[in-house]
């Protein structure tokens, strides 16, 4: 057995092999060669190039940043510097593996809406071809906005008179404000969820109107829900002539809107 054209070891029994102490050789490429001789002195050989690697990869979580507040779908990005070959890169959330890569880019979209409010750890492990590895860990805070639902009236409903607008909001924290907007204009608010408002449609024009309910949690995160309803104003007597009792020759005239 030869390394870089220098004899490493010879063996006369099957199976032929040798333990190579790579710590005695510098990092970098080396040529391994095995040569076999028969009793007649004829020989045949084969060689290959290998790399001695003592440098672990350098793994870094580039996004999000440590201590960041995240919400919705957040892209986790990592950077790995390796002098030879990366074998595997693994991302984890709270200790559970979520994505495995064999090459760049190292990115994964994390749906934080499935996570609880509060701190969560993001872990990174990079392993190179020699089995050397590096790890990185950061902690971020998940704080998603409230989810708002308008339960009454139904989207697309036809309404009239005094309408009860009912809405609720779901959040990991307590919702501390809910507001009602009609066609973009502020109408009323409540300091908690669920909320109910009486909307006087008599002051609105007939036709389509947009109801928007906003909710805010103590962290300042806003959630909204929007529906469209149709206001149907009842017929009203606008003018009656003449007033009082009708004589035999008088005509009753009424204007209705």
């Amino acid at each position: 057995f030869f390394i870089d054209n220098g004899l490493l070891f010879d063996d006369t029994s099957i199976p032929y092999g040798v333990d190579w102490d790579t710590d005695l050789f510098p990092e970098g490429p080396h040529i391994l060669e095995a040569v076999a001789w028969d009793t007649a002195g004829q020989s045949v050989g084969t060689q290959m190039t290998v790399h001695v690697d003592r440098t672990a990869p350098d793994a870094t979580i580039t996004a999000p940043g440590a201590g960041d507040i995240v919400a919705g779908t957040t892209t986790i990005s990592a950077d790995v510097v390796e002098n030879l070959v990366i074998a595997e890169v693994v991302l984890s959330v709270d200790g559970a593996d979520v994505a495995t890569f064999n090459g760049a880019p190292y990115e994964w979209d994390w749906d934080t809406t499935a996570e609880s409010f509060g701190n969560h750890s993001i872990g990174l492990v990079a392993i190179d071809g020699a089995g050397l590895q590096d790890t990185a860990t950061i902690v971020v805070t998940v704080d998603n906005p409230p989810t708002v639902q308008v339960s009454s009236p139904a989207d697309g409903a036809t309404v009239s008179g005094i309408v009860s607008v009912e809405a609720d909001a779901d959040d990991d924290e307590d919702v501390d404000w809910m507001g009602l907007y009609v066609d973009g204009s502020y109408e009323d608010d409540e300091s908690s969820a669920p909320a109910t408002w009486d909307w006087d449609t008599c002051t609105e024009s007939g036709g389509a109107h947009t109801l928007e309910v906003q909710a805010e949690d103590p962290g300042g995160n806003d959630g909204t829900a929007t529906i469209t309803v149709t206001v149907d104003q009842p017929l009203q007597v606008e003018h009656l002539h003449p007033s009082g009792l009708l004589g035999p020759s008088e005509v009753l005239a009424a204007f209705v809107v």
Side-chain angles (χ1 to χ4, degrees), residues 172-213:
D172 290 316
E173 301 178 89
D174 291 331
V175 172
D176 57 9
W177 182 85
M178 295 188 70
L180 173 65
Y181 292 79
V182 177
D183 297 328
S185 298
Y186 169 80
E187 185 78 14
D188 200 357
D189 65 67
E190 294 286 348
S191 59
S192 62
T196 301
W197 301 278
D198 290 331
W199 174 37
D200 185 3
T201 67
C202 297
T203 62
E204 307 290 345
S205 61
H209 292 270
T210 299
L211 302 182
E212 180 183 5
V213 176

Side-chain angles (χ1 to χ4, degrees), residues 70-104:
V70 297
T73 299
T74 298
T75 299
I76 301 175
S77 302
D79 183 42
V80 177
V81 178
E82 163 61 23
N83 61 331
L84 290 173
V85 178
I86 283 293
E88 187 176 68
V89 173
V90 181
L91 281 174
S92 64
V93 174
D94 294 330
D97 294 348
V98 295
T100 301
F101 309 91
N102 299 115

